[in-house]
């Protein structure tokens, strides 16, 4: 059994993906070939924004957004300590300081009630993470940001395809940033990511930063990077694109089925009313998490822990001066979370086997 079965996905869509890749090999425009613009138009219309920019990774996309917003040395950016390292790494990479705000336990997302206390005169932006595939309360977050004149960057690396109040993840903040890392809901077959915004001048600046800060050939007003998405990876996503809506629906059904079957034996990722969830990870809580993982492994069921250590516990952020106990909900989550196999090619039989095993272990 696979935790995420990428081979099954490739074999199902092989004809379309191979044809799209072959077309790139035939035309030879490997950098910013026509597939990039084709994909960006599809992404912008799907997410519901004026501008979508593909980039080299979900980490680069966050960094490009911060640079374009002018965040740098001396600035503070609020985010959560319970996320992948990239979210805070990019804040440090542009010379700013990450300021952590604890999560709320049910959704694993930022505790909105604690944001205002973390705002100082140096705060420039908030990066809330739509962790595991569900968005935090963006109406509340945007209201706080507007009150304090802050930008909001949704880290939607795990939530492409999710929605809140009928609006797609990536479209509800100043900028939305996603990842096409292979294991993400919409994954390519290498590294990749995208940025979403309705702001024309921000989009133009992000486009420039993506290509060495250049506005046009041999004119570089900004410090940029080589942050372009590969044309061959755009071809992979275009080959997968016709199947994407069915994948999102399947993910939703599998997630709901897990929750209905496990709710009485452990804490399950409940969907907040008004939200849809794409279950980039299907993550339960178990007080005896490591033992549960071992027992499931013995039954042939792979699991994963996202994330066993919070970011304030990471040596790279030691200078932030935090200690254990500063973010109790994040720390508790890091001890209790366990993700079960989740991907659109998980069969009913396989899921039934996982559920039966998990129930037996949790009983
Ligand atoms: C929450 C979060 N933010 C950012 C990233 C960075 O994305 P990438 O791996 O494409 O750089 C990831 C994915 O790994 C992620 O899960």
């Amino acid at each position: 059994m696979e935790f995420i079965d990428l081979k099954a996905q490739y074999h199902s869509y092989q004809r379309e993906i191979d044809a799209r890749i072959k077309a790139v090999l035939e035309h030879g425009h490997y950098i910013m070939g026509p597939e990039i613009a084709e994909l960006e138009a599809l992404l912008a219309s799907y997410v519901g924004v004026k501008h979508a920019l593909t980039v080299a990774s979900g980490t680069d996309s966050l960094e490009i957004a911060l640079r374009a917003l002018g965040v740098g040395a001396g600035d503070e950016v609020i985010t959560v300590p319970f996320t992948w390292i990239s979210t805070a790494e990019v804040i440090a990479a542009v010379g700013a300081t990450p300021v952590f705000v604890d999560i709320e336990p049910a959704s694993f997302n930022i505790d909105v009630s604690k944001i205002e206390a973390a705002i100082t005169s140096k705060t420039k932006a908030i990066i809330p993470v739509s962790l595991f595939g569900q968005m935090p309360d963006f109406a509340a977050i945007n209201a706080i940001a507007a009150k304090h004149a802050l930008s909001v960057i949704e880290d939607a690396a795990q939530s492409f395809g999710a929605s809140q109040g009928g609006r797609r993840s990536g479209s509800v903040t100043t900028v939305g940033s996603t990842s096409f890392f292979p294991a993400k809901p919409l994954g390519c077959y290498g590294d990749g990511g995208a940025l979403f915004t309705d702001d024309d001048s921000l989009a133009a600046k992000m486009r420039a930063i993506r290509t060495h800060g250049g506005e046009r050939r041999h004119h570089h007003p900004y410090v940029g990077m080589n942050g372009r998405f590969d044309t061959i990876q755009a071809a992979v996503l275009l080959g997968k694109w016709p199947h994407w809506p069915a994948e999102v629906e399947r993910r939703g059904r599998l997630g709901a089925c897990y929750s209905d079957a496990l709710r009485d034996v452990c804490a399950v990722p409940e969907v907040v009313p008004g939200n849809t969830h794409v279950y980039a990870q299907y993550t339960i809580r178990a007080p005896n998490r490591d033992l549960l993982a071992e027992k499931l492994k013995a039954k042939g069921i792979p699991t994963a822990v996202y994330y066993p250590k919070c970011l304030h516990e990471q040596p790279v952020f030691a200078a932030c001066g935090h200690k254990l106990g500063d973010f109790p909900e994040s720390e508790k989550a890091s001890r209790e979370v366990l993700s079960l196999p989740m991907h659109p090619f998980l069969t009913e039989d396989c899921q039934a086997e996982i559920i039966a095993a998990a129930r037996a272990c949790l009983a």
Side-chain angles (χ1 to χ4, degrees):
M1 189 186 299
E2 302 279 343
F3 184 68
I4 296 177
D5 196 343
L6 295 175
K7 265 186 265 173
Q9 184 190 56
Y10 171 59
H11 289 132
S12 297
Y13 314 151
Q14 184 168 5
R15 206 175 33 81
E16 292 119 303
I17 293 171
D18 286 2
R20 281 292 192 159
I21 292 176
K22 188 159 184 293
V24 178
L25 296 175
E26 295 288 351
H27 68 54
H29 297 291
Y30 302 122
I31 305 295
M32 299 302 278
E35 284 78 6
I36 296 288
E38 184 184 349
L39 179 66
E40 288 180 347
L42 288 176
L43 292 172
S45 134
Y46 177 82
V47 170
V49 288
K50 269 173 90 176
H51 307 279
L53 283 79
T54 55
V55 293
S57 72
T59 306
D60 280 358
S61 57
L62 290 168
E63 184 172 335
I64 290 170
L66 285 172
R67 283 180 189 272
L69 289 165
V71 176
D75 295 334
E76 292 178 354
V77 178
I78 291 173
T79 192
V80 284
F82 189 63
T83 176
W84 174 236
I85 186 85
S86 302
T87 317
E89 175 183 43
V90 292
I91 299 168
V94 300
T97 303
V99 173
F100 296 119
V101 166
D102 209 356
I103 59 166
E104 61 90 21
S107 69
F108 303 108
N109 282 331
I110 195 162
D111 185 337
V112 177
S113 71
K114 299 203 165 109
I115 294 177
E116 276 202 289
I119 295 173
T120 72
S121 58
K122 294 178 180 169
T123 311
K124 283 281 156 53
I126 310 172
I127 309 185
V129 182
S130 297
L131 202 75
F132 302 145
Q134 175 165 228
M135 299 159 74
D137 181 353
F138 276 109
I141 293 169
N142 287 336
I144 294 167
K147 187 171 151 197
H148 298 272
L150 307 175
S151 302
V152 183
I153 303 170
E154 179 190 358
D155 184 346
Q158 303 183 8
S159 59
F160 187 81
S163 65
Q164 183 162 86
R167 294 175 71 194
R168 287 247 160 81
S169 179
S171 73
V172 298
T173 53
T174 322
V175 192
S177 163
T178 197
S179 165
F180 300 133
F181 182 82
K184 296 289 189 259
L186 181 65
C188 60
Y189 294 161
D191 277 308
L195 286 156
F196 309 105
T197 188
D198 282 324
D199 183 323
D200 296 342
S201 64
L202 197 58
K205 197 166 173 191
M206 294 195 299
R207 269 183 211 288
I209 292 169
R210 171 177 71 175
T211 309
H212 305 291
E215 263 178 353
R216 54 184 188 276
R217 210 165 155 72
H218 302 304
H219 177 69
H220 304 267
Y222 313 112
V223 174
M225 60 168 76
N226 182 352
R228 295 169 300 223
F229 190 43
D230 278 348
T231 309
I232 286 184
Q233 295 302 339
V236 170
L237 290 186
L238 287 167
K240 290 175 68 170
W241 189 253
H243 305 283
W244 170 244
E247 285 204 355
V248 173
E249 203 193 308
R250 175 93 185 135
R251 283 179 170 280
R253 259 187 291 134
L254 288 166
C257 179
Y258 264 140
S259 292
D260 289 346
L262 295 174
R263 191 173 280 117
D264 63 327
V265 288
C266 63
V268 297
E270 300 291 0
V271 184
V272 174
N275 282 356
T276 65
H277 201 315
V278 285
Y279 303 102
Q281 306 298 339
Y282 183 85
T283 305
I284 60 169
R285 279 179 186 261
N288 239 333
R289 187 262 316 280
D290 293 337
L291 186 61
L292 175 62
E294 254 173 58
K295 285 183 180 173
L296 288 171
K297 191 176 172 196
K299 289 173 186 274
I301 295 166
T303 59
V305 175
Y306 301 105
Y307 299 93
K309 215 178 197 188
C310 297
L311 298 190
H312 66 286
E313 300 171 60
Q314 293 290 352
V316 68
F317 294 123
C320 295
H322 291 297
K323 56 184 188 316
L324 274 181
D326 282 358
F327 304 102
E329 290 300 344
S330 295
E331 291 165 21
K332 189 160 185 274
S334 73
R335 290 191 300 269
E336 293 185 351
V337 289
L338 190 68
S339 301
L340 303 179
M342 164 58 82
H343 57 89
F345 294 85
L346 187 66
T347 63
E348 273 77 13
D349 285 354
C350 244
Q351 189 179 34
E353 189 188 329
I354 298 162
I355 288 167
R359 289 191 63 87
C361 295
L362 285 160

